[in-house]
Amino acid sequence: MSDPAAKPGTEAPAAPGSAGTAAAAPGPGTEPAAAAAPARILVVDDEYGVRSAVAQILELEGYEVASAASGEEALALLASPGFDIALLDYRLPDTDGLALHKDILATGRQIMTCMITAYADIDLACAATFQGIDFFLPKPFMPDDLLNVVATLVKRRQARAEEERLRREHEASLLALAEEKSQTHSLISSLRDAVLVINQTGDVVLANQAMTALLESTEPEVLRRPVAGLLRGGPLASLIDTLESPAKDRTIGQLSIGERDFMTSIVTFRAEDGSALGRILTLSDISQVRRLAMEKEKFIRTMVHELKSPLGAVRSIIEVTTDKSMGDDLEAYLPLLRRAETRIDDLVQLISDLLSLSKSEQAKAASEPQLLEVAPLVEAALAGQAEHLAARGITASVQVEPGLPPVLAPIEDLELILNNLAGNAVKYNRVGGSVTISARHEGEWVRIDVEDTGIGIAAENVDQVFTEFFREKRPETKGLEGSGLGLSIVKRLTERAGGRLQLASGLGEGSVFSVFLPA
Amino acid sequence: MSDPANGHGSADSGPWTMLFVDDDTDFLAAQEAFFGSRGHKVVTADSSADALEILEALNPDIVFLDLMMERYDSGFRLAHELRKREHLKDVPFVMLSGVARETGERFDQEGKGLLSWTKLDRFVDKPATGRQLLAVAEELLS
């Protein structure tokens, strides 16, 4: 090209645009030193003289310089990162400065560009500026002009990098904030507890799904409404006073809505300077916990009664004996003392049943389930009742379907199930009655029926017989001892083995307990 | 008041007509022997219904009631029912319970002031001995 090389001493017209301010920048040479690493500059000019002169000037100031004689060469160099500034000649053998600038933009590299040309005119300057070229330096120029321009570009690049860094940081924190907000929102929304947040003026700013369900409303309907107006006349009306002017920063209470019991908590949250920002109302449903607590309490009350009653009877019988209430003849006391023996045996049985019940409440049996043949276990259960069967003239029979598949259960659990049911079938039978245990395959199940010809169970008690300590009090059950835990244990063990228990009975019609176990 | 039948009774006790209501027939049998031997007339009922029926025609000096029979609060219900009867208005009622003293106030849930309107004179913890009950009877009937 015909551009003369930069010649010191020739005219140095002010560059258009902001070139004038470049001259006001701090002395050249200070900028690269200020940066952590020297700026890397690419000089693109087809004239060797210009390239080497420019490189020399810049290298003397501590810049790192690379040079290219064509657009293609320039783009090849720019393929590797690290350039801060590109000085582009307008006239190039394979392209022009504007087109090359476009190509550089297309690489996505953040590079400051300055166009250097002898063909400086206002149209080119405008085109370059609109295209985003950062500086325009007409040839010829003085070395100081070049250094000023480069120093300005270095400074601007640092400013732009800083700006970019801040923008990214800001964007990231906005994103994080938005994400946190939506996480918090969905977290609060999905809480089982009902949550209502009001601001310092008493308007609702947040209500989660559980809360709007309690208020039989929707979030848009409650948001920004004054809390007093929202709650008045509703199930939470009694909380209005505390929400508006609580005596303490944290108030805990209880509230019943319909059949549900709630624990209420009203907490004032404050800014760092101590001023109240608003309040959070939380309602936790404690119905289930309370119901379990009451059940447990009832269980313990009954258990204490069941343990103390026989002790009381035995204690009284011993007292009568030591008191010699019935004279000196021991014979007179024998009926009572035999009763005492029975009561103690029953007490021991009760304690062992309590232990079985406690074990049946564990999620897992003590031993692993195994494949069990039903027939021998049924026979064994009836054999255990032989004495009682004989004493009361009750006949027992077993009917097991040929080819019955084994059941999967822990052996001691199935033994306990069958022993309990066989025991009941004998105990609540009539003299001369019968007990039939049959087993057959039904779909995925092995069904074991324990059938008796006894006193049966009243229809209204059929569900209750599985409740701990429940025993039907009827003339027929008088004198029949039992812990009232047997069927609770049977039911729990059956269900733990993956099966279910079914009862068909009627007053005076005998009972059929059906155990379904996975085949 | 001064005629102990067999020398067990103390000088100023009885003979009384005593009603024991308890679903534990062994306990009843023992009380029958213990108090009967002391010259008292012992009547027993093993259910609330039984007690209501017996008391149609009985004027006891003292009634011992078990709390937990058909229900966990049978004793309260029975006492409340019996207090309505004119001839039982001032008869001492003694409640026997394994758990009543500790949990007594909880029965309030069944009805306000249940404890007071049953007008119980005494709670005795189970298991109670004949001697304990004798001491209570002597105190309440003196």
Side-chain angles (χ1 to χ4, degrees), chain A residues 82 114 124 183 207 213 237 269 354 390 397 409 430 449 460 500 517:
Chain A
C114 174
L124 183 58
Q183 276 176 355
F269 55 100
L354 279 171
S397 59
R430 59 182 163 78
D449 284 354
E460 68 266 26
R500 64 193 164 86
L517 289 170

Side-chain angles (χ1 to χ4, degrees), chain A residues 198-205 225-227 244 276-279:
Chain A
I198 59 172
N199 61 17
Q200 70 272 36
T201 57
D203 297 329
V204 175
V205 293
R225 277 186 63 183
V227 72
E244 290 196 314
L277 291 174
R279 297 193 174 95

Side-chain angles (χ1 to χ4, degrees), chain A residues 294 297-298 300-306 308-320 322-327 333 335-336 339-340 342-343 473 478 481, chain B residues 6 8 22-27 29-31 33-35 37-38 46 50 66 68-70 72 97-99 102-103 106-107 109 125-132:
Chain A
M294 279 172 73
E297 190 183 301
K298 188 180 166 202
I300 288 175
R301 200 184 324 152
T302 313
M303 187 179 77
V304 168
H305 176 262
E306 294 295 320
K308 274 190 169 183
S309 287
L311 283 175
V314 170
R315 179 77 185 79
S316 297
I317 289 167
I318 293 172
E319 185 183 39
V320 165
T322 55
D323 183 60
K324 295 190 175 176
S325 297
M326 295 186 286
Y333 300 92
L336 274 179
R339 284 296 304 155
T342 307
R343 298 302 294 272
K473 301 236 173 168
K478 214 166 202 173
E481 298 300 337
Chain B
N6 57 9
H8 275 98
D22 199 307
D23 59 352
D24 193 317
T25 50
D26 295 329
F27 176 79
Q31 300 319 313
F34 185 85
F35 286 98
S37 70
R38 285 166 171 75
D46 65 5
D50 201 8
D66 185 23
M68 230 161 152
M69 292 183 285
E70 301 83 6
Y72 68 93
S97 165
V99 283
E102 297 85 346
T103 60
R106 301 228 170 101
F107 294 109
Q109 288 172 358
D125 263 348
K126 270 184 154 183
T129 65
R131 283 183 191 83
Q132 277 177 302

Side-chain angles (χ1 to χ4, degrees), chain B residues 57-76:
Chain B
L58 186 74
N59 287 306
D61 295 302
I62 187 164
V63 177
F64 292 91
L65 298 156
D66 185 23
L67 173 59
M68 230 161 152
M69 292 183 285
E70 301 83 6
R71 288 171 51 107
Y72 68 93
D73 58 354
S74 296
F76 284 125

Side-chain angles (χ1 to χ4, degrees), chain A residues 142-163:
Chain A
M142 300 291 288
D144 275 357
D145 293 330
L146 176 68
L147 289 174
N148 276 338
V149 167
V150 168
T152 304
L153 286 176
V154 167
K155 206 192 275 177
R156 243 195 245 178
R157 169 155 169 78
Q158 285 169 349
R160 197 175 285 181
E162 178 67 7
E163 194 181 301

Side-chain angles (χ1 to χ4, degrees), chain A residues 188-233:
Chain A
I188 293 173
S189 283
S190 60
L191 280 181
R192 222 175 63 100
D193 290 351
V195 180
L196 185 80
V197 182
I198 59 172
N199 61 17
Q200 70 272 36
T201 57
D203 297 329
V204 175
V205 293
L206 190 155
N208 72 350
Q209 282 161 12
M211 179 59 77
T212 52
L214 268 184
L215 297 171
E216 293 177 347
S217 190
T218 61
E219 197 177 354
E221 279 170 13
V222 303
L223 282 184
R224 281 174 290 282
R225 277 186 63 183
V227 72
L230 176 67
L231 301 187
R232 191 163 294 131

